[in-house]
Amino acid sequence: MTEPTHDEAHGGALGARLNWLRAAVLGANDGIVSTAGLVVGVAGATSDRSALLTAGLAGLLAGSLSMAAGEYVSVSAQRDSEKAALAVEKRELKEQPEAELEELTELLEERGLTREVAREAAVQLTERDALRAHARVELGIDPDALTNPWHAAWASFLAFTVGALLPLLAIVLPGAGWRVPVTVVSVLGALVLTGWSSARLGAAASGRAVVRNVTGGALAMGVTYAVGALLGAAGV
């Protein structure tokens, strides 16, 4: 008989994976809503396909680059904070090892271990790798898996781009009379999927998330279409 295998992700790895998936879903959702609002608004003012394509591509590129830049700055700041916290912890371990050992013991006690077991575990963890032990238990940081700003930036760029492609293609491919209806139906269907996915990833009820997502997207398209129609009628 072969030994059973167990490949389930645990702890930080699972949490990080869920965070990345949730960020991808939300990035795609942003791409869908913002680009749909833009192209539907332009469609309210004109039926010219080249104008719609230009507006959609501009919105896709501006939105994806903005998302990537924002994510890069945000994650870079987080990474800098993590490195600074690790540097402080490394200095404290060097200057006051006994105090740090006692601190680790108390933290393990707070997690439910008895004083004796916590002390023994703290000693063993410190002997193996004191910095890694304090980073994980005290700071909640994995020194071997610090956040990568470039990964985050590319993920946001791709997620937004994928989401934005749906309304862009839906508005330029059909004939003039079908563009807005096809776009609205396609976008609302996609928002049902992203709302459900984000709720499931967050272990929340999907019904309300879907309703909020669809309502927000429908409102965005309705408002921008009305504004575009008014401007088109005014000859602006």
Side-chain angles (χ1 to χ4, degrees):
M1 294 180 64
T2 59
E3 291 294 326
T5 58
H6 186 66
D7 297 325
E8 181 182 356
H10 292 283
L14 178 59
R17 187 179 304 171
L18 290 177
N19 285 336
W20 279 108
L21 288 172
R22 190 177 297 113
V25 170
L26 294 177
N29 192 81
D30 287 343
I32 293 169
V33 174
S34 61
T35 307
L38 177 61
V39 296
V40 167
V42 175
T46 179
S47 60
D48 183 66
R49 179 179 274 112
S50 63
L52 293 170
L53 180 59
T54 300
L57 284 175
L60 184 155
L61 288 173
S64 59
L65 291 172
S66 176
M67 287 282 290
E71 196 70 13
Y72 179 83
V73 170
S74 174
V75 174
S76 292
Q78 179 183 342
R79 185 183 179 90
D80 290 343
S81 297
E82 291 173 342
K83 286 185 173 180
L86 289 172
V88 170
E89 198 63 40
K90 186 176 182 179
R91 187 182 69 249
E92 291 177 345
L93 284 167
K94 182 179 180 180
E95 294 176 353
Q96 41 190 344
E98 286 302 322
E100 289 298 299
L101 179 60
E102 177 61 27
E103 182 181 36
L104 183 58
T105 301
E106 292 175 355
L107 289 170
L108 293 173
E109 276 189 276
E110 291 174 3
R111 299 192 175 193
L113 299 180
T114 64
R115 172 71 184 181
E116 293 75 15
V117 174
R119 183 70 177 187
E120 178 61 26
V123 169
Q124 291 188 24
L125 289 171
T126 299
E127 290 175 349
R128 179 173 299 177
D129 192 323
L131 181 59
R132 181 175 283 104
H134 280 267
R136 290 179 173 174
V137 178
E138 180 181 349
L139 304 176
I141 298 174
D142 185 348
D144 300 322
L146 296 182
T147 52
N148 188 312
W150 285 109
H151 290 173
W154 277 111
S156 294
F157 179 88
L158 292 174
F160 188 98
T161 299
V162 170
L165 281 174
L166 173 67
L168 175 58
L169 295 176
I171 203 73
V172 298
L173 292 181
W178 287 96
R179 287 172 185 162
V180 173
V182 168
T183 302
V184 170
V185 171
S186 300
V187 166
L188 294 182
L191 292 178
V192 169
L193 179 60
T194 56
W196 180 85
S197 299
S198 62
R200 297 300 296 173
L201 289 171
S206 59
R208 290 183 179 179
V210 169
V211 170
R212 286 195 300 264
N213 218 31
V214 171
T215 301
L219 183 62
M221 289 187 290
V223 170
T224 55
Y225 183 82
V227 172
L230 289 173
L231 293 175
V236 177

